[in-house]
Amino acid sequence: MADITKDKTENNEIEEIADAVEETVEETAETAEEIAESLDDDDEETVKEQDEEAEKKESKIVDDILEIIESTLLAVFVIVMIFTYLLHPVNVVGGSMNDTLVNGNRIFMTTVYTGPHYGDIIVINNDMAYLLDQNGNVIDKDITGSDLKECIIKRVIAEPGQTLDIDAEKEQVIVDGKVLDEPYIKETVNSTGGAFNFPITVPEGYYFVMGDNRRGSADSRFPEVGLIKKEQIYGKAVLRYSPIKDFKILLF
């Protein structure tokens, strides 16, 4: 009888242990499932965040590329406008403007300017010479076949309405009764050129120009250049950019 009781007690204990083990297994399984679900949620959240971050990076790259393209196009547009309407490259040929400009220099001229005024360096279409008759009236001189019928570059010495005199003996240029102080010239003037009987008054709409190399310049003093009509002026020189070591602003 005692053995049966013992067996029953042992069986009960075994069943209790089995139930406890089963309960523990179930709890463990539930915990594992919760952990797995949590990990899945974390993984999904991480993947989502990574995707969002990747999209943001891609969007930023696209924005940066578009900004670079926009800036580049704007810069190109500005440069085109500048070189179309403001600055034009010009090559200097010859030595009539020595030592301010020498053969081979490259300059920029502008077509947007006021004047021109005394001291300005201008680029000229010398397609026709304009002289004065005995009464001071302008007369045309055809220079077809002349080597000087070309683009030339000179400095404005007298403007419309001013009185100009050249004293070759004293090597002086006189405008409105005042001897010009000309630090830009290579040598003083020693020839009146033969185009005019000085003094003269420059007519309205015309200019008297000379090269800085006064003894080696064919300019308004000579019949094949004469007075410069305003419509003959291409533009005003603003700077020398080549050679780079001789870079210089040419505004007077």
Side-chain angles (χ1 to χ4, degrees), residues 141-193:
K141 176 180 172 60
D142 186 0
I143 57 172
T144 300
S146 169
D147 292 338
L148 291 175
K149 188 175 182 179
E150 58 183 5
C151 180
I152 60 177
I153 183 166
K154 306 293 178 183
R155 190 185 295 273
V156 175
I157 300 301
E159 301 177 43
Q162 291 188 314
T163 298
L164 171 75
D165 193 9
I166 295 178
D167 189 332
E169 292 184 0
K170 294 183 179 179
E171 302 182 2
Q172 294 177 338
V173 178
I174 306 160
V175 175
D176 290 340
K178 296 181 180 180
V179 177
L180 296 183
D181 178 17
E182 302 181 287
Y184 43 77
I185 62 174
K186 181 177 182 178
E187 292 179 304
T188 54
V189 63
N190 65 350
S191 171
T192 58

Side-chain angles (χ1 to χ4, degrees), residues 17-34:
I17 292 171
D19 290 340
V21 170
E22 184 178 355
E23 185 177 347
T24 301
V25 170
E26 289 177 355
E27 291 176 354
T28 303
E30 290 176 359
T31 302
E33 187 176 348
E34 291 175 357

